């Protein structure tokens, strides 16, 4: 099974939709994916992701199926007095980078979730939900989580597409590949309307190791005239 993951186009966050540039990017992304044998299209329930998915769904003649758990993550704490270590002056990307540079042993190991930046952070409820629901989702395609590996329970060669966000996508990638979340946020930045492909190749009844077939492909939108294409800094941009 191949999972094509697409981050939404340039957003208007206040109105949860795409900008004019974002619509151009989404249209170009549909052209990029035209020859992919996509059987199902999934999207976050948020407007900017659904609008991005809409162009590819129309091109393939498919309905968009909503995955509620892939909505963008929240960041911070409901009670600053109980969680003074949780910072508000930035998004997960900036704070993960700070953690990587100041405390790399924690940021790249298995203890990251116990760090004050994360332990009382509301983002962890999103992370755990995305991890749980991702495993449930993959199981429907014959890919069953067994500890930190996956078992191929039935043969499946489907190609599916998922349109979501920088934060929720990073949670999914962190879980699938067993990589610390701060590490993913810091060293795997992916831009708006980028195309990444995760391949789940394995024989029925045997364990499999997911791998990136492609990551952060933006060639399909780089040819747009600069005055019509505005990129945010995906490392520090946040949602």
């Amino acid at each position: 099974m191949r999972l094509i993951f697409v981050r939404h186009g340039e957003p208007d966050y206040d109105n949860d939709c795409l900008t004019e540039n974002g619509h151009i990017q989404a249209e170009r992304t549909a052209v990029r994916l035209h020859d992919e044998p996509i059987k199902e299209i999934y999207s976050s329930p948020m407007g900017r992701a659904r609008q991005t998915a809409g162009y590819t769904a129309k091109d393939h003649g498919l309905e968009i199926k909503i995955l509620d758990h892939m909505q963008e993550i929240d960041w911070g704490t409901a009670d600053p007095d109980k969680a003074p270590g949780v910072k508000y002056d930035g998004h997960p990307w900036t704070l993960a980078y700070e953690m990587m540079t100041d405390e790399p042993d924690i940021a790249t190991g298995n203890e990251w979730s116990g760090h004050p930046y994360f332990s009382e952070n509301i983002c962890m409820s999103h992370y755990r939900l995305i991890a749980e629901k991702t495993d449930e989702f993959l199981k429907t395609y014959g890919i069953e989580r067994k500890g930190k590996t996956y078992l191929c329970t039935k043969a499946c060669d489907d190609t599916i597409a998922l349109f979501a966000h920088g934060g929720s996508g990073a949670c999914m990638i962190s879980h699938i590949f067993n990589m610390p979340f701060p590490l993913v946020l810091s060293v795997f930045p992916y831009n708006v309307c980028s195309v990444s492909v995760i391949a789940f190749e394995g024989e029925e009844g045997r364990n499999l190791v997911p791998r990136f077939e492609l990551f952060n492909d933006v060639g399909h939108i780089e040819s747009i005239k600069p005055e019509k294409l505005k990129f945010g800094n995906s490392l520090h941009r946040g949602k």
Side-chain angles (χ1 to χ4, degrees):
M1 192 270 275
R2 297 168 69 244
L3 170 61
I4 299 175
F5 176 76
V6 181
R7 186 183 176 189
H8 60 74
E10 183 183 86
D12 173 348
Y13 287 119
D14 291 338
N15 296 299
D16 186 25
C17 62
L18 295 178
T19 64
E20 180 181 353
N21 286 335
H23 281 285
I24 296 171
Q25 295 162 359
E27 188 174 18
R28 290 292 183 89
T29 302
V31 174
R32 160 67 177 82
L33 298 175
H34 176 75
D35 292 328
E36 291 283 356
I38 298 172
K39 292 188 176 181
E40 302 284 356
I41 292 180
Y42 298 90
S43 173
S44 150
M46 304 187 84
R48 53 193 185 270
R50 288 189 289 106
Q51 287 184 344
T52 305
Y55 289 90
T56 299
K58 181 179 180 180
D59 183 62
H60 279 76
L62 296 171
E63 296 293 326
I64 299 173
K65 297 183 177 181
I66 300 300
L67 297 180
D68 288 333
H69 66 275
M70 288 303 296
Q71 68 179 318
E72 186 55 299
I73 65 175
D74 290 322
W75 179 267
T77 176
D79 191 342
D81 292 332
K82 290 184 179 179
V86 178
K87 295 187 176 184
Y88 289 89
D89 55 345
H91 292 292
W93 285 262
T94 56
L95 298 184
Y97 186 82
E98 180 180 326
M99 189 174 169
M100 285 286 294
T101 55
D102 293 346
E103 301 181 77
D105 289 343
I106 296 176
T108 59
N110 296 321
E111 300 176 357
W112 66 269
S113 61
H115 189 279
Y117 286 177
F118 294 96
S119 59
E120 297 298 327
N121 196 315
I122 57 177
C123 79
M124 289 306 299
S125 62
H126 292 271
Y127 184 96
R128 288 189 288 267
L129 177 64
I130 290 169
E132 177 186 350
K133 294 299 183 180
T134 294
D135 287 343
E136 291 179 5
F137 175 72
L138 291 176
K139 190 174 181 180
T140 65
Y141 286 93
I143 304 163
E144 186 171 350
R145 184 89 171 190
K146 296 292 185 180
K148 291 188 175 182
T149 63
Y150 287 95
L151 174 68
C152 179
T153 59
K154 65 179 180 181
C156 178
D157 61 359
D158 289 358
T159 294
I160 62 175
L162 168 60
F163 294 75
H165 309 266
S168 61
C171 291
M172 181 185 71
I173 290 170
S174 169
H175 178 66
I176 287 175
F177 291 100
N178 298 303
M179 293 188 294
F181 189 41
L183 180 67
V184 173
L185 291 171
S186 298
V187 306
F188 287 96
Y190 45 94
N191 223 317
V192 293
C193 271
S194 60
V195 173
S196 300
V197 181
I198 302 174
F200 298 86
E201 297 179 354
E203 297 178 12
E204 188 170 319
R206 301 189 64 178
N207 287 343
L208 59 82
V209 178
R211 64 179 179 83
F212 272 118
E213 182 178 292
L214 181 70
F215 182 75
N216 193 37
D217 175 20
V218 291
H220 51 288
I221 55 176
E222 287 181 340
S223 63
I224 300 174
K225 293 181 179 180
E227 65 267 26
K228 290 187 177 181
L229 180 59
K230 300 176 182 177
F231 284 115
N233 184 334
S234 61
L235 179 59
H236 301 290
R237 172 64 181 177
K239 299 178 182 178

